[in-house]
Amino acid sequence: MKVVLIISDGLADQPIKELGGKTPLQIANTPAMDEIARTGVNGIMDSIAPGITPGSDTAHLAILGYDPYQIYEGRGAFEALGAGLEVKINDICFRGNIATINNKFTVLDRRAGRIKDDAEELVRAVNGIKLNFFPDIQVVIKHTVEHRCAIVLKGPHLTRMISDTDPHKINHQINESQPLNGSSEAIRTAHIVNLLTREIHKKLDADPINMKRRIKGLLPANAILMRGAGIIPKIRPITEIYGIKALAIAVGALYKGVCNAVGMDLINVQGATGDYETNTVVKAKAAVENLPRYDFILIHVKATDNASHDRDVMKKIKMIEKVDKLANYLLQNTDPDKVIIAITADHTTSTESGEHTGDSVPVSIRGKTVRVDSVQRYSEIDCAQGGLGRIRGINLLPILLDYAGKSKKFGE
Amino acid sequence: MKVVLIISDGLADQPIKELGGKTPLQIANTPAMDEIARTGVNGIMDSIAPGITPGSDTAHLAILGYDPYQIYEGRGAFEALGAGLEVKINDICFRGNIATINNKFTVLDRRAGRIKDDAEELVRAVNGIKLNFFPDIQVVIKHTVEHRCAIVLKGPHLTRMISDTDPHKINHQINESQPLNGSSEAIRTAHIVNLLTREIHKKLDADPINMKRRIKGLLPANAILMRGAGIIPKIRPITEIYGIKALAIAVGALYKGVCNAVGMDLINVQGATGDYETNTVVKAKAAVENLPRYDFILIHVKATDNASHDRDVMKKIKMIEKVDKLANYLLQNTDPDKVIIAITADHTTSTESGEHTGDSVPVSIRGKTVRVDSVQRYSEIDCAQGGLGRIRGINLLPILLDYAGKSKKFGE
């Protein structure tokens, strides 16, 4: 049997006053998700551990079977891999935000007005930028989605042990990157990152595209905020651990990067955009089309998490219902005797606070080998009554592959 | 948000024949606890791990977020800290029972008739006692509650690797403390403890207070049974791990000691006695008064456990109802938008056998960020149906702090 896993990012939530203390998932109309729950086995899952708030990167690593406490080496390398950049063992990678700053380096908008159209060209203008006094450092920058980009520093004596330049809030100056330990590598890397930040600003601020943006009344995209310095972790790919072929259908660079790092193939799907406009059903179609060639297909949808970060309850409900259409397509176009369908979230995102939380997430699994329990609805509360009980993220892939008959016996 | 956690010691129970197979918690009238359950999220918890019978010390360490298998170094240091004694890194500490023995060193009563009034003075009489041939050993003994005291040995070449002198039952001789390994330190420490036991008996037996007790027909308190040799564990305080201010409202020295060792402040509350006479509501009042100054307040109530150890079913029910009054005061005087209230037990104590068991304990958590499940009553059975599923003690504090919005994200 094959496995298709839907991860709806930040799908789970905390109670919301305007929903009478219910969660968006409890309120949304989700007939397909509910069918998975009703005809399947259900449970709740802590991506990392109970009460631990996961990042998107650590959550996905855990759900793909790795202990992030053992292997996590920062977010950056996943962003870079997901952007399609080549990442070598000692490269230091960052997630970048294309942003707007004033001449005092105060951040006016962390996303340059959620820039879309000009972002790719502006990033291309600073890719390969040279740094005075550091001729041995190569800078690779690549645009990904909306205001996002990935940055890779290549060269000798670099380390990921430095702090972000991204202040993570507006009306604050860009941070000076600081060494996180006393090593000469950390002092050197922080210095390079601060120099790079100034050089990028100088170049972008004078770029003709930004001149035009100012004339149009748009915010200039004149800085790149850097965060999540990371190196590529040393891990054994899931393809090798489980002897499977695996595919990820995701748009966000971070998710593509994590999946790529664990040995999964990636495909791009026309119409899947990683934002609110995304077409979720085309992802389901792509999954069904690729099922003959893969044992395990992960479909990632980001928009549910975006809605929570934007603290927009109605949009979250709408995005959940979009994910339900994806689930529905899978139900309509796969045979439960041949395909295990599972749905879960990587973490809870509270739409009240706009932040990730450490709450568990619901998980439902359908297929001929699962023991059907009495849960009738896919929700944070209903699934807690299910036959799976409370599991960890690291348990999910072994459970799914076991249902698919692909588990290896330990012992005799 | 803030957190108030009620730990009712040994609250959970096994089925009791005379209660028709129900537990005291199922039978007791507990409207406030039930309200927490009904308006909150519920689950069951293994303080240490399923089927593992916790001690009070290891259970509390686990519930405060530590793995007792990693850090536990004996009970003694917690007793000493809780008694308000200064404990240095190499001091060997013990829990002591003021007891009655005959001239053959047979234990007639392990608590000298649950001595209360004379205990403090008798302990003061042996504090600082000198041992022949061991001028470099300093002995500090301090009374705590009822028949209980803490003993600290200070000096060179001591170890905690020795056995108890407390035989843990009556009509048996006081044990000779034995070295638990072949080290010269263990042989020396066991020898010192046995010598100390004889010296204390000599002094107490001749004390005028015991003369008076004999005349009054009371059991003489003429020995101290020593157990739980321990040193202070090396741990990072919860205040530092989670960046919180934490307060414990407890009476028993052991509980005060554990809380103090993990960095919590302690307060004494008039009327809270650590025994059946304790006023539980004053503890709740003290918690509410201190909420402005603390992020996390733990209220410990011992009397439920005492009733089980005394195998007194009706008293246990009565004590549970006393704890319910505490819970009620918290419910009436805190805002669920601002304060998370949780109730649990450190372990199950079977009133049938009078012993701790490894059964899970029920946990209920109320507050605006929790996803309300369908559990209607706070009991060992009802809570197993709840939205938390089955958690470990080590998960509880992260879960509570996450509900309070004080969780730190791991990853990005």
Side-chain angles (χ1 to χ4, degrees):
Chain A
M1 291 177 78
K2 310 284 181 116
V3 177
V4 181
L5 170 63
I6 307 165
I7 299 183
S8 180
D9 207 296
L11 171 71
D13 215 313
Q14 288 188 341
I16 293 177
K17 276 241 163 85
E18 65 183 285
L19 301 180
K22 301 275 184 191
T23 67
L25 182 57
Q26 287 180 298
I27 295 298
N29 180 35
T30 55
M33 294 180 189
D34 296 345
E35 185 179 330
I36 298 175
R38 201 171 52 250
T39 60
V41 67
N42 304 273
I44 54 174
M45 179 174 83
D46 301 289
S47 300
I48 297 176
I52 303 300
T53 301
S56 290
D57 44 12
T58 49
H60 276 79
L61 283 170
I63 293 171
L64 289 166
Y66 300 91
D67 179 353
Y69 289 113
Q70 297 285 330
I71 64 144
Y72 184 63
E73 296 266 18
R75 169 179 186 145
F78 303 122
E79 290 280 349
L81 285 173
L85 293 173
E86 194 193 10
V87 181
K88 294 269 174 62
I89 203 90
N90 290 316
D91 294 350
I92 311 301
C93 312
F94 302 83
R95 153 72 184 269
N97 261 31
I98 304 158
T100 305
I101 63 173
N102 66 16
N103 58 7
K104 284 176 183 142
F105 277 72
T106 301
V107 177
L108 304 178
D109 191 314
R110 286 184 64 245
R111 303 181 179 98
R114 269 209 189 263
I115 187 171
K116 271 181 118 165
D117 296 338
D118 299 323
E120 192 170 351
E121 203 171 335
L122 283 166
V123 168
R124 210 178 301 123
V126 288
N127 180 30
I129 197 167
K130 292 288 167 199
L131 299 175
N132 282 336
F133 313 116
F134 294 98
D136 53 352
I137 299 297
Q138 193 194 339
V139 181
V140 184
I141 314 183
K142 191 168 172 193
H143 176 253
T144 59
V145 178
E146 294 180 304
H147 57 280
R148 302 176 186 93
C149 63
I151 301 124
V152 182
L153 299 185
K154 292 167 182 281
H157 309 304
L158 296 174
T159 170
R160 75 173 185 93
M161 298 312 288
I162 60 160
S163 66
D164 298 349
T165 65
D166 186 346
H168 295 274
K169 46 195 161 192
I170 57 165
N171 300 324
H172 280 70
Q173 273 213 315
I174 288 188
N175 287 333
E176 289 278 308
S177 177
Q178 302 290 339
L180 294 179
N181 61 34
S183 70
S184 60
E185 284 82 2
I187 295 165
R188 172 180 149 94
T189 310
H191 181 64
I192 287 169
V193 162
N194 292 326
L195 188 65
L196 176 63
T197 300
R198 287 192 289 274
E199 291 300 319
I200 287 173
H201 170 60
K202 210 185 289 174
K203 195 150 183 183
L204 286 182
D205 203 53
D207 194 287
I209 293 176
N210 275 325
M211 302 299 175
K212 282 187 211 141
R213 285 178 69 85
R214 286 189 184 96
I215 290 164
K216 284 192 229 165
L218 296 172
L219 288 170
N222 62 358
I224 294 180
L225 310 178
M226 294 168 68
R227 66 192 229 229
I231 60 169
I232 207 162
K234 289 174 207 72
I235 52 180
R236 199 172 153 220
I238 58 169
T239 43
E240 202 181 299
I241 296 171
Y242 303 104
I244 56 171
K245 287 201 70 182
L247 174 71
I249 302 174
V251 177
L254 176 65
Y255 312 97
K256 288 163 81 170
V258 171
C259 291
N260 184 238
V262 306
M264 301 177 78
D265 291 346
L266 303 173
I267 51 165
N268 293 317
V269 179
Q270 192 85 35
T273 57
D275 60 16
Y276 294 139
E277 309 312 319
T278 196
N279 183 337
T280 54
V281 174
V282 295
K283 294 191 185 185
K285 278 187 187 160
V288 171
E289 279 161 26
N290 279 282
L291 266 177
R293 286 181 293 285
Y294 289 96
D295 303 298
F296 172 59
I297 299 181
L298 187 163
I299 305 176
H300 178 262
V301 182
K302 178 68 179 164
T304 34
D305 187 52
N306 291 349
S308 283
H309 285 300
D310 289 345
R311 305 174 67 176
D312 188 335
V313 175
M314 289 309 139
K315 189 148 269 172
K316 183 150 188 188
I317 291 173
K318 209 169 144 192
M319 291 304 129
I320 292 171
E321 292 175 351
K322 257 192 174 184
V323 177
D324 196 70
K325 298 218 162 33
L326 186 168
N328 180 60
Y329 186 91
L330 291 179
L331 286 175
Q332 300 307 321
N333 293 280
T334 58
D335 178 349
D337 284 2
K338 292 180 186 156
V339 182
I340 303 287
I341 297 175
I343 179 157
T344 192
D346 56 345
H347 52 72
T348 295
T349 311
S350 162
T351 307
E352 291 263 10
S353 70
E355 303 287 347
H356 294 189
T357 79
D359 290 85
S360 61
V361 299
V363 51
S364 295
I365 309 173
R366 183 204 78 152
K368 82 164 172 184
T369 45
V370 310
R371 307 190 289 227
V372 179
D373 58 36
S374 60
V375 173
Q376 297 295 307
R377 282 216 55 197
Y378 181 69
S379 84
E380 298 90 341
I381 297 302
D382 292 87
C383 287
Q385 302 280 330
L388 282 177
R390 186 169 191 150
I391 62 169
R392 297 284 172 95
I394 206 167
N395 305 138
L396 186 63
L397 192 55
I399 288 173
L400 293 174
L401 294 175
D402 183 57
Y403 283 139
K406 295 191 195 311
S407 175
K408 286 182 202 148
K409 189 156 63 174
F410 171 53
E412 282 196 49
Chain B
M1 291 177 81
K2 310 284 180 115
V3 177
V4 181
L5 169 63
I6 308 166
I7 299 182
S8 179
D9 206 296
L11 172 72
D13 215 312
Q14 289 187 342
I16 293 177
K17 276 241 168 81
E18 65 183 283
L19 300 179
K22 301 275 183 191
T23 67
L25 182 57
Q26 286 179 299
I27 295 298
N29 181 35
T30 54
M33 294 180 188
D34 296 345
E35 184 179 331
I36 298 174
R38 199 171 55 249
T39 59
V41 67
N42 304 274
I44 54 174
M45 179 174 82
D46 301 289
S47 299
I48 297 175
I52 304 300
T53 301
S56 290
D57 44 12
T58 50
H60 276 79
L61 283 170
I63 292 171
L64 290 166
Y66 300 89
D67 178 353
Y69 290 111
Q70 296 285 330
I71 64 143
Y72 185 61
E73 298 266 17
R75 168 179 187 146
F78 303 122
E79 290 282 349
L81 284 173
L85 293 173
E86 195 192 10
V87 181
K88 293 269 173 62
I89 203 88
N90 291 315
D91 294 349
I92 310 301
C93 312
F94 303 81
R95 153 71 185 267
N97 261 31
I98 304 159
T100 305
I101 63 174
N102 66 15
N103 59 7
K104 285 176 183 142
F105 277 71
T106 300
V107 177
L108 303 179
D109 190 313
R110 286 184 63 247
R111 303 182 179 96
R114 269 209 189 263
I115 187 171
K116 269 181 116 167
D117 295 338
D118 299 323
E120 192 170 351
E121 203 170 338
L122 282 166
V123 169
R124 211 179 299 125
V126 288
N127 180 29
I129 196 167
K130 292 286 168 199
L131 299 176
N132 281 338
F133 311 116
F134 294 98
D136 52 354
I137 299 295
Q138 193 195 337
V139 181
V140 184
I141 315 184
K142 191 168 173 193
H143 175 252
T144 60
V145 179
E146 293 179 306
H147 57 279
R148 303 175 187 95
C149 64
I151 301 123
V152 181
L153 299 186
K154 293 167 182 281
H157 310 303
L158 296 174
T159 172
R160 76 173 185 92
M161 298 312 289
I162 60 160
S163 66
D164 297 349
T165 64
D166 185 347
H168 294 275
K169 45 195 160 189
I170 57 166
N171 299 326
H172 280 69
Q173 272 214 315
I174 288 187
N175 287 331
E176 288 279 307
S177 177
Q178 301 291 338
L180 294 179
N181 61 33
S183 70
S184 61
E185 284 82 4
I187 296 165
R188 171 179 149 94
T189 310
H191 180 64
I192 287 168
V193 162
N194 292 325
L195 188 64
L196 176 63
T197 300
R198 288 191 289 275
E199 291 300 319
I200 286 173
H201 170 59
K202 208 185 292 175
K203 195 148 183 184
L204 286 183
D205 203 53
D207 194 286
I209 292 176
N210 275 324
M211 302 298 174
K212 282 186 210 144
R213 285 179 68 85
R214 286 188 184 94
I215 289 164
K216 283 193 232 165
L218 296 172
L219 288 170
N222 62 358
I224 294 180
L225 310 178
M226 293 167 70
R227 66 193 229 231
I231 61 169
I232 206 162
K234 288 173 210 73
I235 53 179
R236 200 173 153 221
I238 59 169
T239 43
E240 202 182 298
I241 295 171
Y242 303 103
I244 55 170
K245 287 203 71 182
L247 174 71
I249 301 174
V251 176
L254 177 64
Y255 312 97
K256 289 163 79 170
V258 171
C259 292
N260 184 238
V262 306
M264 300 178 78
D265 290 345
L266 303 173
I267 52 165
N268 293 316
V269 179
Q270 192 87 35
T273 56
D275 60 18
Y276 295 138
E277 308 312 319
T278 196
N279 183 337
T280 53
V281 175
V282 294
K283 294 191 184 186
K285 277 188 189 160
V288 170
E289 280 162 24
N290 279 282
L291 267 176
R293 287 181 292 284
Y294 290 95
D295 303 298
F296 171 59
I297 299 181
L298 188 163
I299 305 175
H300 178 264
V301 181
K302 178 69 178 162
T304 35
D305 187 53
N306 291 348
S308 283
H309 285 300
D310 289 345
R311 304 174 67 176
D312 186 335
V313 176
M314 288 309 139
K315 189 149 269 173
K316 183 150 187 187
I317 292 173
K318 208 169 144 192
M319 291 304 129
I320 292 170
E321 292 175 351
K322 256 193 175 185
V323 177
D324 196 70
K325 297 216 163 33
L326 187 168
N328 180 59
Y329 185 91
L330 291 179
L331 286 176
Q332 300 306 321
N333 293 282
T334 59
D335 178 349
D337 284 3
K338 293 180 186 154
V339 182
I340 303 286
I341 298 175
I343 179 156
T344 193
D346 55 345
H347 52 72
T348 294
T349 311
S350 162
T351 308
E352 291 266 10
S353 70
E355 302 289 346
H356 294 190
T357 78
D359 290 85
S360 62
V361 299
V363 52
S364 295
I365 309 173
R366 183 203 77 152
K368 81 161 175 186
T369 46
V370 311
R371 305 191 291 223
V372 179
D373 59 34
S374 59
V375 173
Q376 297 294 310
R377 282 216 55 196
Y378 181 70
S379 83
E380 298 89 341
I381 300 302
D382 292 87
C383 287
Q385 301 282 328
L388 282 177
R390 185 171 191 148
I391 61 171
R392 299 281 173 94
I394 206 169
N395 304 139
L396 186 63
L397 193 54
I399 287 173
L400 293 174
L401 293 176
D402 182 58
Y403 283 140
K406 295 191 195 308
S407 173
K408 282 182 206 148
K409 191 155 66 172
F410 171 51
E412 279 198 55

